[in-house]
Amino acid sequence: MGWLRLALLILIARPLARLITGLDVLHAERLPQTGPAILAANHASHVDTWLLLSLFPAGTLARVRPVAAADYFLANPALSWFSRNVVGIVPVERKRIERGADVLAPAKAALAAGDILVIFPEGTRGADLDHMAVLKPGVAMLASEAPTTPVIPVWIQGAGRVLPKGTWLAAPLTCCVVVGEPLFWTGDRASFMTALRGALEALAAEAPPLRWSDRGTGEQL
Amino acid sequence: MPPSLDNLLRAIPAPLLLGLGGVITALVAGTVAAWRPSKAPSSAGRLQLQARMKSWWVIVGLLTAALALGWQATAVLFAVISFLALREFLSLAPARREDRLVILLSYLTIPASYLFVFLHIYMFYLVFVPVWVFLATPALMALIGQTRGYLASTAVLHWGTMTCVYNIGFIPLLMLVPRWDAPQAGATGLVFLLLLATEANDVFQFVVGKLLGRRKILPSVSPNKTWEGFLGGWILTTVLILWLGPVFTPLKGAGLWITAAALPPAGFAGDVTFSAIKRDLGVKDTSGFIPGHGGVLDRLDSLTFTAPLYFHLLALFALETY
């Protein structure tokens, strides 16, 4: 099925992303071309995954796999087939965290196999377009077990306007992906997460401005 | 040479072949200059220039292919260009979250406008965006019910659809002119001169400004522009149009002189208007869509002003069709 995924991503997803969002990239040269590596991005829309999968050349793309919630993306057979065979997700069972199971085992295995993982540390799509939610520590757990694996912070600007949470029709609007310098495991979770958040905020400041005022405020006008 | 190719070349008006030859010569010269041996082979400026030249080849290739294939292909190409320009504009402009629906609908002005081009209904084209979309947009936004920032939001949508869709659409409309009405080089000749003169004006202004520029013309909007560049570009482009106008278009006499004199300041006006918008929004380029150039709108800014002016001057002085 690998060929189907590559064909759909390269022949359909990428040209469509370029038409609908422009697919602007700042610092594309910082994208890893070999695994193992982790991309840690902000998350405002399903468009995020689509954009990140559209940035890689065919040779690398087979290795790029988004880490995604099993309860959402494997919920029904059609979505599950699409998530596994086209998006190429590494499923993580969010609901089993409380039971102390190693929910990150599939992600660890993928890294060990040399994959490039895409992780959204906010855990779910943010409802607020302008602010990142609290970052969950899953990415730190992965980094601590593989301290030589680069964690590349990625800021995606504008995806939340193209397809906000709760809508189904994508509005063509420019998006910009800003790729950061790789981070490595710092030795403790708190400092690693602070470094990641700081890096993402710095990348956000580098992105072109978004003038999209929230409901009822209209202050930016 | 196979007979079919021979016939094809005969069917193309000689001025167009010479014009294309001139453009390609300029591109080759630019390409050689961008890749000439240098002490700093990977300096940022040089890489930028090389990217810019590569993009020029793609732009000229796409335009040549579309113009060679005829008015349908040209209309499709400019519909896509309108879409990309409108997308960039709506992405940069201030908007309210609840305007998303109206933004989505404003993209429909593109298929609607170009449908009138395809159906050759010039009168509908002329009033659709400036009258009907102009009225429907604020009405729809009133129905959505958010009044704060209302007037500014409607202005953003009007400005975007007028410049990116309506004004650009005059180019495919020009392509509908039949050969008898523009015997010099057909409809393609009309479009060719517009694109050449608009682009040459940008280049002449830039080059003269670099060589002789002293006095700033609009420091608060576009700090690199000078009086010398503006006037030098004006004179050189006027000479260019006076020379090539009769070769590519039926313009002559007063119509030719007025077009030659009016087009360069219109191009300048388009350039500085979009500069003012970009400065207001705090961006240097409208996007990174065209490597080495910036966004589609960065390339299209002068054309959004010159295209309607050129169309109406031609319609007034030289064409029976409109």
Side-chain angles (χ1 to χ4, degrees):
Chain A
M1 291 303 254
W3 61 270
L4 177 69
R5 175 175 185 254
L6 285 185
L8 287 175
L9 290 180
I10 290 168
L11 299 178
I12 296 175
R14 182 184 302 168
L16 216 54
R18 195 141 164 78
L19 188 71
I20 304 277
T21 74
L23 205 62
D24 278 2
V25 192
L26 282 179
H27 313 305
E29 74 285 351
R30 293 176 183 168
L31 286 170
Q33 293 309 334
T34 53
I38 299 171
L39 298 188
N42 62 316
H43 201 21
S45 166
H46 289 314
V47 170
D48 294 324
T49 312
W50 175 29
L51 294 181
L52 290 178
L53 287 174
S54 300
L55 295 181
F56 288 90
T60 315
L61 196 50
R63 288 243 160 260
V64 182
R65 302 184 65 201
V67 176
D71 56 277
Y72 186 99
F73 288 96
L74 304 183
N76 67 63
L79 181 62
S80 167
W81 182 90
F82 182 80
S83 302
R84 284 180 289 111
N85 295 305
V86 179
V87 185
I89 68 164
V90 176
V92 173
E93 303 202 23
R94 286 189 287 201
K95 285 177 183 156
R96 285 177 54 210
I97 291 174
E98 299 88 42
R99 285 180 247 156
D102 185 8
V103 295
L104 291 173
K108 289 173 190 166
L111 279 180
D115 285 348
I116 299 171
L117 293 185
V118 174
I119 292 185
F120 299 111
E122 288 167 271
T124 188
R125 288 169 294 154
D128 183 347
L129 297 183
D130 301 325
H131 299 100
M132 258 188 300
V134 175
L135 301 185
K136 302 213 161 107
V139 61
M141 294 181 203
L142 287 177
S144 71
E145 297 223 350
T148 56
T149 302
V151 178
I152 295 115
V154 177
W155 181 263
I156 305 165
Q157 180 88 305
R161 306 192 303 176
V162 173
L163 193 69
K165 200 170 184 173
T167 58
W168 55 272
L169 190 57
L173 289 165
T174 307
C175 295
C176 186
V177 178
V178 193
V179 186
E181 302 275 11
L183 303 172
F184 290 91
W185 176 240
T186 52
D188 72 287
R189 189 183 284 182
S191 70
F192 179 81
M193 293 312 290
T194 308
L196 178 61
R197 191 170 184 96
L200 285 171
E201 282 166 354
L203 295 174
E206 216 182 313
L210 270 190
R211 282 151 208 283
W212 189 260
S213 61
D214 259 316
R215 184 173 294 277
T217 58
E219 280 155 7
Q220 283 157 30
L221 279 168
Chain B
M1 191 180 286
S4 58
L5 187 58
D6 195 37
N7 286 341
L8 186 72
L9 282 178
R10 268 175 223 283
I12 301 174
L16 286 180
L17 288 176
L18 292 173
L20 182 61
V23 170
I24 288 177
T25 309
L27 281 183
V28 169
T31 307
V32 170
W35 269 270
R36 74 184 183 278
S38 155
K39 281 182 189 145
S42 54
S43 71
R46 183 180 160 91
L47 293 178
Q48 160 98 359
L49 186 64
Q50 291 177 348
R52 184 176 266 250
M53 284 314 302
K54 279 188 206 166
S55 297
W56 268 127
W57 279 103
V58 175
I59 293 169
V60 169
L62 282 172
L63 283 170
T64 306
L67 291 171
L69 286 170
W71 68 266
Q72 297 93 334
T74 308
V76 169
L77 177 65
F78 278 95
V80 172
I81 292 173
S82 281
F83 169 79
L84 296 173
L86 185 62
R87 191 200 72 209
E88 282 180 3
F89 184 82
L90 294 176
S91 304
L92 283 175
R96 304 168 306 169
R97 190 179 284 212
E98 51 274 59
D99 294 336
R100 201 171 167 278
L101 174 69
V102 192
I103 284 177
L104 268 167
L105 288 173
S106 71
Y107 286 106
L108 292 180
T109 59
I110 298 169
S113 282
Y114 281 84
L115 180 70
F116 298 137
V117 174
F118 268 85
L119 297 176
H120 296 38
I121 316 178
Y122 170 57
M123 292 309 286
F124 279 23
Y125 182 87
L126 221 47
V127 293
F128 176 67
V129 170
V131 179
W132 302 117
V133 174
F134 175 80
L135 293 176
T137 305
L140 253 171
M141 291 173 67
L143 292 179
I144 290 168
Q146 173 58 259
T147 54
R148 197 177 303 191
Y150 171 83
L151 195 55
S153 289
T154 57
V156 160
L157 288 157
H158 287 150
W159 174 260
T161 47
M162 281 298 288
T163 50
C164 302
V165 184
Y166 185 69
N167 291 0
I168 291 301
F170 283 105
I171 296 165
L173 274 178
L174 274 180
M175 278 300 278
L176 298 180
V177 171
R179 185 67 194 267
W180 60 261
D181 204 7
Q184 289 75 11
T188 316
L190 305 179
V191 173
F192 178 80
L193 185 69
L194 169 66
L195 299 177
L196 182 75
T198 305
E199 208 42 61
N201 186 42
D202 282 358
V203 173
F204 288 151
Q205 279 185 30
F206 176 77
V207 172
V208 176
K210 275 265 174 211
L211 293 177
L212 307 172
R214 290 255 159 72
R215 282 164 285 257
K216 298 207 178 301
I217 185 166
L218 271 172
S220 64
V221 175
S222 199
N224 293 326
K225 289 207 167 32
T226 58
W227 274 105
E228 291 81 359
F230 168 61
L231 294 172
W234 193 345
I235 293 167
L236 290 174
T237 310
T238 300
V239 171
L240 181 83
I241 297 174
L242 287 176
W243 171 40
L244 292 178
V247 180
F248 287 98
T249 73
L251 282 169
K252 56 181 187 299
L256 178 63
W257 278 91
I258 291 173
T259 307
L263 217 58
F268 177 82
D271 197 340
V272 295
T273 306
F274 275 93
S275 291
I277 292 174
K278 284 186 275 186
R279 196 146 273 250
D280 182 19
L281 299 174
V283 293
K284 196 177 147 288
D285 295 327
T286 53
S287 83
F289 195 77
I290 314 177
H293 291 255
V296 175
L297 266 180
D298 294 312
R299 202 63 287 148
L300 222 55
D301 47 11
S302 311
L303 200 60
T304 61
F305 277 50
T306 56
L309 179 72
Y310 179 79
F311 179 94
H312 288 300
L313 288 173
L314 272 173
L316 188 63
F317 288 107
L319 296 177
E320 300 278 317
T321 312
Y322 295 113

